[in-house]
Amino acid sequence: MRTRDIFFNHIAQTSLAPAALEIISAKGSRLKDVNGKEYIDLISGISVSALGHNHPEINNAIKKQVDQGLHFMVYGEFILQPQVMLAELLTTILPEKLNCTYFVSSGSEAAEGALKLAKRFTGRTEIISFQNAYHGSTHGALSVAGNEALKNSFRPLLPDVTILPFDSINSLEKISSRTACVIAETIQGEAGAIVPKKSFIQELRNRCTESGALLVLDEIQVGCGRTGKMFAFEHFGIVPDILLLGKSFGGGMPLSAFISSKEIMSSLTVNPSLGHITTFGGHPVSCAAGFAALNIMRREKLLDTIAEKENIFRKYLVHKHIQSITGKGLLLGIEFENENTCKSIINDCIKSGVVTDNFLFAPNKMRIAPPLNISAEDIRLSSEIIMNSIEQIKN
Ligand code: PMP
């Protein structure tokens, strides 16, 4: 009871009803709480633990780096081997023009960095984003969120932000020679796992190229394999000018990045020098963990298994109360008729040993975003529990 009281009274609360599970250990796709109760983890700490919990190789990489040293200097001044190794690995798996990485600590910071970079490189001020987009909670990132209720109490925010409907090709004509960048999630996460039309993303790329605006794709939630490709933009046959990675990028450690070309990135180096700096960006322990995670994912050919795992979920999760299943790969949104129904199913799932939640801007949808190496058996078991929880709903 004591830890619960301290949590509610002395740890700042973000909402009135946190799940407040007290998890003390985890392994693979399983979480264990303080009472010894086990749960199947269907959300991976919101798309973070892509290789499951307590992966021995990631743990060893972390321990090795801890023994060598934690922090030597702020970002950008010293040559730090874990950063160098991860940046080099990224150049081998990303398209050639995304060859220069700026490491930061959180997704919000990656979005901030990208917005500043686009303004600085283009000399323009307008930023375009999309309805129901989420790019983070800091002032700049919040300014480009596509949800007014989230923003209203914090105004004034960044000026010259235009918000367009997502997946609407016609609205893309608003992108102009005034636009510094368009920031979009390749597949929207907090909107409820929304996959846009291929033609929309392609036209978005075209309009940005025509008007000289930079295309910033936020793959903080959907990058690093979650949709079955290493990067979600690969599904659409285009390449952004700036890519944002985060969440699972650090193998469970805090690590994010904005990645662009050497040419674009160079504009942050002068006028002013030190125009974007960070103390902890690219922390050696985080980079060592991220490097291990990316290597494991590639060596174990995890990407080849994602579509099949999506299919298994889709095969089991069929019910008259399920209105639709949106998303791609292992980011799925199970849509129910309303928020209350969804919430009561989620609560019942948690009681029955499956951890899930809903989406920030789609409270009537249940999130499925398990570790990418979840077993077929755990998919079956968790789906069975979800179906039983749905059965508890009165018609
Ligand atoms: N972009 C996207 C698409 C996200 O899903 C999130 C986090 N949910 C962020 C940015 C912000 O990341 P962070 O919480 O690490 O600042």
Side-chain angles (χ1 to χ4, degrees), residues 261-288:
S261 67
K262 175 77 181 149
E263 183 206 351
I264 294 174
M265 205 63 97
S266 300
S267 58
L268 282 183
T269 315
V270 290
N271 289 334
S273 166
L274 306 180
H276 194 76
I277 47 179
T278 161
T279 298
F280 287 120
H283 193 285
V285 179
S286 298
C287 284

mmCIF file of all heavy atoms in Angstrom, residues 261-288:
data_model
loop_
_atom_site.group_PDB
_atom_site.id
_atom_site.type_symbol
_atom_site.label_atom_id
_atom_site.label_comp_id
_atom_site.label_asym_id
_atom_site.label_seq_id
_atom_site.Cartn_x
_atom_site.Cartn_y
_atom_site.Cartn_z
ATOM 1 N N SER A 261 20.331 14.375 -44.429
ATOM 2 C CA SER A 261 21.555 14.308 -45.226
ATOM 3 C C SER A 261 22.620 15.170 -44.546
ATOM 4 O O SER A 261 22.306 16.102 -43.802
ATOM 5 C CB SER A 261 21.305 14.842 -46.633
ATOM 6 O OG SER A 261 21.033 16.229 -46.565
ATOM 7 N N LYS A 262 23.855 14.860 -44.864
ATOM 8 C CA LYS A 262 24.961 15.663 -44.323
ATOM 9 C C LYS A 262 24.761 17.133 -44.705
ATOM 10 O O LYS A 262 24.989 18.039 -43.900
ATOM 11 C CB LYS A 262 26.275 15.107 -44.888
ATOM 12 C CG LYS A 262 27.503 15.881 -44.519
ATOM 13 C CD LYS A 262 27.932 15.588 -43.100
ATOM 14 C CE LYS A 262 29.165 16.386 -42.727
ATOM 15 N NZ LYS A 262 29.200 16.706 -41.311
ATOM 16 N N GLU A 263 24.285 17.359 -45.952
ATOM 17 C CA GLU A 263 24.117 18.735 -46.434
ATOM 18 C C GLU A 263 23.094 19.503 -45.589
ATOM 19 O O GLU A 263 23.362 20.602 -45.113
ATOM 20 C CB GLU A 263 23.654 18.713 -47.903
ATOM 21 C CG GLU A 263 23.524 20.100 -48.500
ATOM 22 C CD GLU A 263 22.529 20.169 -49.654
ATOM 23 O OE1 GLU A 263 22.051 19.109 -50.109
ATOM 24 O OE2 GLU A 263 22.201 21.303 -50.064
ATOM 25 N N ILE A 264 21.922 18.888 -45.408
ATOM 26 C CA ILE A 264 20.882 19.574 -44.626
ATOM 27 C C ILE A 264 21.346 19.747 -43.184
ATOM 28 O O ILE A 264 21.247 20.827 -42.596
ATOM 29 C CB ILE A 264 19.543 18.792 -44.704
ATOM 30 C CG1 ILE A 264 19.004 18.827 -46.139
ATOM 31 C CG2 ILE A 264 18.526 19.355 -43.715
ATOM 32 C CD1 ILE A 264 17.776 17.965 -46.362
ATOM 33 N N MET A 265 21.875 18.681 -42.632
ATOM 34 C CA MET A 265 22.268 18.707 -41.220
ATOM 35 C C MET A 265 23.342 19.758 -40.942
ATOM 36 O O MET A 265 23.393 20.336 -39.853
ATOM 37 C CB MET A 265 22.762 17.324 -40.806
ATOM 38 C CG MET A 265 22.643 17.034 -39.345
ATOM 39 S SD MET A 265 20.949 17.032 -38.708
ATOM 40 C CE MET A 265 20.548 15.306 -38.719
ATOM 41 N N SER A 266 24.178 20.028 -41.950
ATOM 42 C CA SER A 266 25.281 20.978 -41.743
ATOM 43 C C SER A 266 24.776 22.367 -41.387
ATOM 44 O O SER A 266 25.516 23.177 -40.810
ATOM 45 C CB SER A 266 26.128 21.092 -43.010
ATOM 46 O OG SER A 266 26.657 19.844 -43.315
ATOM 47 N N SER A 267 23.513 22.657 -41.725
ATOM 48 C CA SER A 267 23.027 24.006 -41.445
ATOM 49 C C SER A 267 22.865 24.254 -39.938
ATOM 50 O O SER A 267 22.694 25.392 -39.516
ATOM 51 C CB SER A 267 21.731 24.300 -42.206
ATOM 52 O OG SER A 267 20.756 23.369 -41.856
ATOM 53 N N LEU A 268 22.934 23.194 -39.129
ATOM 54 C CA LEU A 268 22.867 23.411 -37.669
ATOM 55 C C LEU A 268 24.237 23.704 -37.064
ATOM 56 O O LEU A 268 24.342 23.957 -35.868
ATOM 57 C CB LEU A 268 22.272 22.177 -36.971
ATOM 58 C CG LEU A 268 20.762 21.971 -37.029
ATOM 59 C CD1 LEU A 268 20.373 20.744 -36.214
ATOM 60 C CD2 LEU A 268 20.001 23.188 -36.524
ATOM 61 N N THR A 269 25.281 23.627 -37.899
ATOM 62 C CA THR A 269 26.645 23.746 -37.361
ATOM 63 C C THR A 269 27.092 25.199 -37.191
ATOM 64 O O THR A 269 27.920 25.499 -36.342
ATOM 65 C CB THR A 269 27.634 23.009 -38.313
ATOM 66 O OG1 THR A 269 27.068 21.746 -38.668
ATOM 67 C CG2 THR A 269 28.980 22.791 -37.663
ATOM 68 N N VAL A 270 26.550 26.084 -38.044
ATOM 69 C CA VAL A 270 26.984 27.485 -38.011
ATOM 70 C C VAL A 270 25.784 28.441 -37.992
ATOM 71 O O VAL A 270 24.675 28.063 -38.358
ATOM 72 C CB VAL A 270 27.849 27.837 -39.264
ATOM 73 C CG1 VAL A 270 29.198 27.144 -39.183
ATOM 74 C CG2 VAL A 270 27.126 27.491 -40.555
ATOM 75 N N ASN A 271 26.084 29.698 -37.626
ATOM 76 C CA ASN A 271 25.043 30.756 -37.646
ATOM 77 C C ASN A 271 23.730 30.376 -36.977
ATOM 78 O O ASN A 271 22.699 30.365 -37.655
ATOM 79 C CB ASN A 271 24.734 31.193 -39.084
ATOM 80 C CG ASN A 271 25.885 31.968 -39.665
ATOM 81 O OD1 ASN A 271 26.653 32.581 -38.934
ATOM 82 N ND2 ASN A 271 25.998 31.917 -40.974
ATOM 83 N N PRO A 272 23.635 30.079 -35.769
ATOM 84 C CA PRO A 272 24.733 30.139 -34.817
ATOM 85 C C PRO A 272 25.393 28.768 -34.681
ATOM 86 O O PRO A 272 24.731 27.735 -34.874
ATOM 87 C CB PRO A 272 24.017 30.488 -33.511
ATOM 88 C CG PRO A 272 22.694 29.782 -33.645
ATOM 89 C CD PRO A 272 22.347 29.825 -35.105
ATOM 90 N N SER A 273 26.633 28.792 -34.323
ATOM 91 C CA SER A 273 27.269 27.558 -33.876
ATOM 92 C C SER A 273 26.564 27.149 -32.577
ATOM 93 O O SER A 273 26.057 28.003 -31.843
ATOM 94 C CB SER A 273 28.746 27.868 -33.633
ATOM 95 O OG SER A 273 29.332 26.834 -32.907
ATOM 96 N N LEU A 274 26.492 25.876 -32.337
ATOM 97 C CA LEU A 274 25.807 25.351 -31.137
ATOM 98 C C LEU A 274 24.331 25.763 -31.102
ATOM 99 O O LEU A 274 23.751 25.987 -30.048
ATOM 100 C CB LEU A 274 26.515 25.807 -29.845
ATOM 101 C CG LEU A 274 28.020 25.494 -29.753
ATOM 102 C CD1 LEU A 274 28.588 26.011 -28.432
ATOM 103 C CD2 LEU A 274 28.282 24.004 -29.880
ATOM 104 N N GLY A 275 23.723 25.844 -32.275
ATOM 105 C CA GLY A 275 22.313 26.238 -32.357
ATOM 106 C C GLY A 275 21.378 25.146 -31.869
ATOM 107 O O GLY A 275 20.206 25.390 -31.590
ATOM 108 N N HIS A 276 21.869 23.947 -31.799
ATOM 109 C CA HIS A 276 21.064 22.863 -31.203
ATOM 110 C C HIS A 276 22.012 21.950 -30.437
ATOM 111 O O HIS A 276 22.862 21.296 -31.052
ATOM 112 C CB HIS A 276 20.318 22.070 -32.285
ATOM 113 C CG HIS A 276 19.248 21.198 -31.694
ATOM 114 N ND1 HIS A 276 18.041 21.703 -31.249
ATOM 115 C CD2 HIS A 276 19.212 19.876 -31.427
ATOM 116 C CE1 HIS A 276 17.303 20.719 -30.747
ATOM 117 N NE2 HIS A 276 17.993 19.599 -30.838
ATOM 118 N N ILE A 277 21.888 21.937 -29.139
ATOM 119 C CA ILE A 277 22.796 21.118 -28.339
ATOM 120 C C ILE A 277 22.025 20.365 -27.266
ATOM 121 O O ILE A 277 20.894 20.726 -26.927
ATOM 122 C CB ILE A 277 23.936 21.968 -27.696
ATOM 123 C CG1 ILE A 277 23.386 23.232 -27.049
ATOM 124 C CG2 ILE A 277 25.000 22.309 -28.731
ATOM 125 C CD1 ILE A 277 24.470 24.077 -26.375
ATOM 126 N N THR A 278 22.645 19.300 -26.766
ATOM 127 C CA THR A 278 21.987 18.483 -25.762
ATOM 128 C C THR A 278 23.038 17.792 -24.900
ATOM 129 O O THR A 278 24.076 17.363 -25.420
ATOM 130 C CB THR A 278 21.052 17.420 -26.405
ATOM 131 O OG1 THR A 278 20.792 16.382 -25.451
ATOM 132 C CG2 THR A 278 21.661 16.786 -27.641
ATOM 133 N N THR A 279 22.766 17.695 -23.618
ATOM 134 C CA THR A 279 23.733 17.051 -22.715
ATOM 135 C C THR A 279 23.750 15.543 -22.905
ATOM 136 O O THR A 279 24.799 14.928 -23.081
ATOM 137 C CB THR A 279 23.378 17.362 -21.237
ATOM 138 O OG1 THR A 279 23.456 18.769 -21.055
ATOM 139 C CG2 THR A 279 24.336 16.664 -20.274
ATOM 140 N N PHE A 280 22.574 14.929 -22.887
ATOM 141 C CA PHE A 280 22.521 13.468 -22.830
ATOM 142 C C PHE A 280 22.268 12.799 -24.181
ATOM 143 O O PHE A 280 22.228 11.579 -24.272
ATOM 144 C CB PHE A 280 21.436 13.019 -21.839
ATOM 145 C CG PHE A 280 21.827 13.249 -20.397
ATOM 146 C CD1 PHE A 280 21.070 14.070 -19.581
ATOM 147 C CD2 PHE A 280 22.957 12.646 -19.876
ATOM 148 C CE1 PHE A 280 21.427 14.274 -18.254
ATOM 149 C CE2 PHE A 280 23.331 12.841 -18.547
ATOM 150 C CZ PHE A 280 22.555 13.661 -17.735
ATOM 151 N N GLY A 281 22.044 13.587 -25.241
ATOM 152 C CA GLY A 281 21.736 12.996 -26.549
ATOM 153 C C GLY A 281 22.803 12.000 -26.954
ATOM 154 O O GLY A 281 23.992 12.280 -26.861
ATOM 155 N N GLY A 282 22.366 10.807 -27.408
ATOM 156 C CA GLY A 282 23.333 9.791 -27.823
ATOM 157 C C GLY A 282 24.138 9.240 -26.666
ATOM 158 O O GLY A 282 25.316 8.909 -26.818
ATOM 159 N N HIS A 283 23.487 9.106 -25.504
ATOM 160 C CA HIS A 283 24.184 8.562 -24.330
ATOM 161 C C HIS A 283 24.838 7.224 -24.697
ATOM 162 O O HIS A 283 24.203 6.376 -25.335
ATOM 163 C CB HIS A 283 23.180 8.370 -23.193
ATOM 164 C CG HIS A 283 23.816 8.107 -21.878
ATOM 165 N ND1 HIS A 283 24.388 6.889 -21.564
ATOM 166 C CD2 HIS A 283 24.009 8.907 -20.811
ATOM 167 C CE1 HIS A 283 24.892 6.958 -20.341
ATOM 168 N NE2 HIS A 283 24.680 8.172 -19.866
ATOM 169 N N PRO A 284 26.104 7.031 -24.320
ATOM 170 C CA PRO A 284 26.802 5.803 -24.716
ATOM 171 C C PRO A 284 26.058 4.515 -24.357
ATOM 172 O O PRO A 284 26.029 3.582 -25.163
ATOM 173 C CB PRO A 284 28.134 5.898 -23.950
ATOM 174 C CG PRO A 284 28.363 7.369 -23.785
ATOM 175 C CD PRO A 284 27.001 7.975 -23.612
ATOM 176 N N VAL A 285 25.443 4.478 -23.179
ATOM 177 C CA VAL A 285 24.742 3.239 -22.792
ATOM 178 C C VAL A 285 23.525 3.022 -23.703
ATOM 179 O O VAL A 285 23.245 1.906 -24.147
ATOM 180 C CB VAL A 285 24.326 3.281 -21.301
ATOM 181 C CG1 VAL A 285 23.588 2.003 -20.923
ATOM 182 C CG2 VAL A 285 25.553 3.471 -20.413
ATOM 183 N N SER A 286 22.821 4.104 -24.020
ATOM 184 C CA SER A 286 21.651 3.989 -24.907
ATOM 185 C C SER A 286 22.075 3.563 -26.305
ATOM 186 O O SER A 286 21.422 2.733 -26.943
ATOM 187 C CB SER A 286 20.912 5.328 -24.982
ATOM 188 O OG SER A 286 20.434 5.710 -23.720
ATOM 189 N N CYS A 287 23.166 4.149 -26.797
ATOM 190 C CA CYS A 287 23.613 3.804 -28.151
ATOM 191 C C CYS A 287 24.098 2.352 -28.210
ATOM 192 O O CYS A 287 23.844 1.654 -29.199
ATOM 193 C CB CYS A 287 24.736 4.740 -28.616
ATOM 194 S SG CYS A 287 24.116 6.367 -29.079
ATOM 195 N N ALA A 288 24.760 1.892 -27.148
ATOM 196 C CA ALA A 288 25.213 0.494 -27.120
ATOM 197 C C ALA A 288 23.999 -0.434 -27.159
ATOM 198 O O ALA A 288 23.985 -1.434 -27.882
ATOM 199 C CB ALA A 288 26.051 0.243 -25.868
#
